[in-house]
Structures are given as C-alpha cells and as structure tokens.
Amino acid sequence: MKDTVSETLLQILMPLVVAEREAEGLQSAEDYAAFRERHAVLNARVLAALKAEVDARETLSLADMQDLHSMVVAHPALRGSVSDRAVAGAVLSEAWQGLKGWRR
C-alpha cells in the first residue's frame, strides 16, 4: 500500500518540484518574490492535494506518514538533485503540519 501512496504523493508533488527548479537560477529576492507569486496557485493546489491524500486515508498513522515521507524523498525521480529532495520534503512537511501528529 505504501508504495502506491508514495507514487501518488510524488505525482502530486512533481509539478511544484519542477517549478522550483526555475528558482535555482534567480538572482535576487525580488525575482524570487515574483516567482513565488506566479506559482502561488500551483503551490496552494499541491499543498491542498497532499493534505487531502492523508485526510482520505483514515488508517494512516504518524509512523506511516514518516515512512511515506522517506519513500518520496528517496524516490529515483528526485535523486538527481539535492534541491528536488529538499523541496519535496519541505512541501510534504508543510502540507501535513498538524495532521495525525505530524510536526516539521
């Protein structure tokens, strides 16, 4: 089950991970603020979908969520970039904050 859920979570995350790659080349705080504004809707949509995925699975425990977090961050699709893994982990933590005892 966890393999299927981790794949679903990765699919939800990838559009935001890909968008965040663009931020790596930004030169100023102003550029980054404009980038964040352009992607605000995507960010909100991804966070909501990640939260809903956990909410919909009533049997998931905090330990299950910790395992899923590790599985997603270690996924081969994210192995090419430390930034990709960091973004994925941070987004999951933000989306899950307070769910089933999750803490950043």
Side-chain angles (χ1 to χ4, degrees):
M1 176 194 90
K2 287 183 190 174
D3 287 337
T4 304
V5 176
S6 70
E7 289 294 327
T8 300
L9 295 171
L10 184 68
Q11 288 176 346
I12 294 168
L13 271 169
M14 284 310 290
L16 191 55
V17 169
V18 170
E20 284 288 335
R21 290 176 185 160
E22 176 188 330
E24 292 176 18
L26 299 176
Q27 300 298 316
S28 70
E30 293 82 16
D31 290 344
Y32 186 71
F35 164 83
R36 295 288 298 168
E37 188 174 322
R38 279 194 316 276
H39 294 290
V41 171
L42 173 62
N43 189 63
R45 187 172 57 236
V46 167
L47 290 171
L50 292 170
K51 181 179 180 185
E53 193 64 32
V54 169
D55 279 340
R57 299 177 187 279
E58 294 175 9
T59 61
L60 279 181
S61 67
L62 177 58
D64 292 330
M65 291 171 66
Q66 291 165 335
D67 288 346
L68 287 166
H69 185 278
S70 294
M71 290 171 73
V72 170
V73 172
H75 193 279
L78 302 175
R79 285 191 188 152
S81 167
V82 172
S83 175
D84 285 356
R85 291 188 301 272
V87 167
V91 172
L92 284 172
S93 287
E94 182 177 346
W96 293 351
Q97 183 62 29
L99 293 177
K100 302 179 189 228
W102 185 268
R103 302 269 183 252
R104 288 186 196 194

